[in-house]
Amino acid sequence: MRSPPEERKLQGRTVTSPSAIEAAGLGEDKGRSLVLGIETSCDETAAAVISRHRDGTGRILSNVVRSQWDAHRAYGGVVPEIAARAHVECLDAIIGAAMVEAGVGWPDLNGVAATAGPGLVGGLIVGLTTAKMIALVHGLPLFAINHLEAHALTVGLTDGLRPPYLLLLVSGGHTQLIDVRDVGRYDRLGTTIDDALGEAFDKTAKLLGLGFPGGPAVEAAARHGDGRRFPLPRPMIGRAEPNFSFAGLKTAVRTAATAIAPLSEQDVADIATAFETTAAAAVVDRVRRAMALVENRRQVPPQGHVLVVAGGVAANVRLRAALEDLTKGDGWRLALPPIALCTDNAAMVAWAGAERLARGDGPDSLDAPVRARWPLDPTSPPALGSGRQGAKA
Ligand code: KG4
Ligand code: ZN
């Protein structure tokens, strides 16, 4: 008979350094598990070690992220083959750095977790294969993690927040509203029918001749602009289903820019501001709709209704302010993990693995596959009118 996962993991543990005992708190609480996480689904190579306590709280012992922006900048976007090669080149060193920074050795770990999808297949193979090798060599349970689930559960690590809550995931590859009912129970309420929000930021930046990655560049330009000069269409506003669409907005930006080319610095700032304010207004409208759906679905939970925001676009100050406003009063509050944990990182992957370990869910077998697409809610119908690239998950 197998013992419960947390106990099983503690058997035969050898703690290699006094700092590890202190850092991981193993001396005071044997109910703590340590998980190594690996993230390689896009253009960030990341490794992290986290601890999860018996009471469900967690701590980050190390969180190492290396971005590949320089490798992709010349192409104005992420090139999958370059990304995969860059992951191969530095992943071992990143994992080594995460282990050293955490002050732990292999025997201290209770599990290894790696993103298995959705994402770019080449990169996913690099990360998952490395995790499998570590699991095999060190006799650790392997967790093949859904990247979206890792984003969805991050607030458990950062804020000690447990489901249920409403999640707005806004990144370069995803724009989704998910009702996180419990760990492992996700209902997708809405998704983008064409571009992801981060993708729209990146394409707008490219169009305006701003840098890569586009989000921060558009945001910087939008600080000095007058958004009223270019009225842009507000996609999907008022629709019953909380889906998103950003392709039309992007086209409207192109039309506005082409009409007045060549663009002065002020023109760029004004268009960037118009794009950012319109996108934020569209997101607010869709989230408001999802909040109403959640209110209809369940009583106010003991912690109140919570809107959690994750993904790289959560760094956008204008969007954050708009969401703060939206959740003021009415029994709602906003939970925003620190920006470094909103963007892609491995602490969230390790945490998702630790949650599964704690629930006795898994481990996965060493032939677990990578998946380019992996919806968090397999029962959700495809969003109507899915565009050329479809909903990315
Ligand atoms: O979550 P993330 O790091 O990677 C994935 O796409 O999974 O998100 C990256 C995206 C990019 O599209 C980037 O342009 C956008 O987040 N982003 C921003 C900002 N910072 C990053 N978008 C708007 N404003 C920002 N400050
Ligand atoms: Zn992500």
Side-chain angles (χ1 to χ4, degrees):
M1 204 182 87
R2 286 159 66 164
S3 48
E6 293 205 351
E7 261 174 58
R8 190 169 72 231
K9 296 301 145 320
L10 288 162
Q11 288 162 7
R13 174 200 295 280
T14 322
V15 176
T16 48
S17 71
S19 68
I21 298 176
E22 202 193 336
L26 295 174
E28 61 207 45
D29 178 4
K30 285 203 183 315
R32 201 175 268 209
S33 54
L34 290 184
V35 177
L36 167 69
I38 296 171
E39 160 61 41
T40 55
S41 67
C42 192
D43 59 344
E44 258 96 28
T45 314
V49 179
I50 63 98
S51 64
R52 186 189 185 281
H53 309 220
R54 206 194 297 264
D55 66 3
T57 60
R59 224 179 104 195
I60 297 173
L61 303 188
S62 65
N63 186 26
V64 183
V65 183
R66 182 180 294 172
S67 172
Q68 306 175 356
W69 290 350
D70 287 342
H72 301 286
R73 185 164 283 128
Y75 306 94
V78 178
V79 183
E81 289 77 10
I82 293 178
R85 203 171 315 137
H87 290 307
V88 173
E89 278 161 13
C90 70
L91 183 57
D92 286 356
I94 300 276
I95 292 172
M99 294 291 285
V100 168
E101 203 179 295
V104 299
W106 299 112
D108 305 328
L109 293 179
N110 303 106
V112 55
T115 302
L120 301 174
V121 166
L124 291 170
I125 290 174
V126 174
L128 187 61
T129 307
T130 304
K132 286 175 179 176
M133 195 185 61
I134 292 170
L136 188 66
V137 170
H138 300 288
L140 292 167
L142 169 78
F143 295 94
I145 299 296
N146 182 314
H147 182 88
L148 304 177
E149 181 171 40
H151 274 303
L153 299 179
T154 303
V155 278
L157 174 63
T158 57
D159 298 43
L161 186 67
R162 314 293 304 175
Y165 48 77
L166 173 64
L167 174 77
L168 168 68
L169 176 59
V170 274
S171 70
H174 310 282
T175 303
Q176 303 195 358
L177 278 158
I178 296 166
D179 183 11
V180 180
R181 304 175 86 158
D182 201 348
V183 177
R185 281 181 66 208
Y186 310 99
D187 288 349
R188 196 184 74 190
L189 303 178
T191 186
T192 178
I193 62 167
D194 39 55
D195 291 348
L197 181 55
E199 193 178 1
F201 266 94
D202 292 338
K203 288 177 176 172
T204 297
K206 207 168 173 179
L207 201 85
L208 297 178
L210 298 168
F212 172 83
V218 169
E219 177 166 52
R223 265 183 221 124
H224 319 288
D226 174 3
R228 289 163 305 182
R229 211 180 125 199
F230 297 96
L232 298 173
R234 299 187 159 202
M236 310 292 271
I237 279 193
R239 297 271 187 98
E241 301 291 326
N243 287 324
F244 301 85
S245 166
F246 296 105
L249 181 56
K250 180 191 64 193
T251 307
V253 165
R254 179 183 297 120
T255 308
T258 316
I260 56 161
L263 303 180
S264 69
E265 205 171 307
Q266 192 58 49
D267 294 334
V268 169
D270 292 345
I271 296 176
T273 309
F275 167 79
E276 198 182 65
T277 42
T278 307
V283 171
V284 163
D285 179 76
R286 310 294 56 222
V287 175
R288 186 183 290 118
R289 181 74 201 122
M291 286 162 66
L293 290 178
V294 165
E295 284 169 6
N296 282 339
R297 281 181 158 206
R298 60 173 164 260
Q299 306 275 319
V300 182
Q303 63 194 2
H305 286 303
V306 187
L307 171 67
V308 173
V309 189
V313 190
N316 188 274
V317 173
R318 200 183 299 263
L319 180 64
R320 294 165 79 98
L323 294 170
E324 290 273 7
D325 269 358
L326 177 66
T327 47
K328 242 179 229 156
D330 289 345
W332 281 83
R333 75 185 163 90
L334 186 66
L336 270 163
I339 295 305
L341 297 169
C342 280
T343 53
D344 287 351
N345 66 88
M348 68 177 190
V349 178
W351 177 250
E355 286 280 19
R356 284 188 48 197
L357 183 63
R359 289 195 311 149
D361 174 7
D364 290 305
S365 80
L366 289 181
D367 59 6
V370 299
R371 306 194 208 181
R373 294 186 181 224
W374 187 0
L376 204 43
D377 173 2
T379 64
S380 65
L384 265 183
S386 285
R388 187 168 46 85
Q389 306 191 32
K392 298 293 163 59

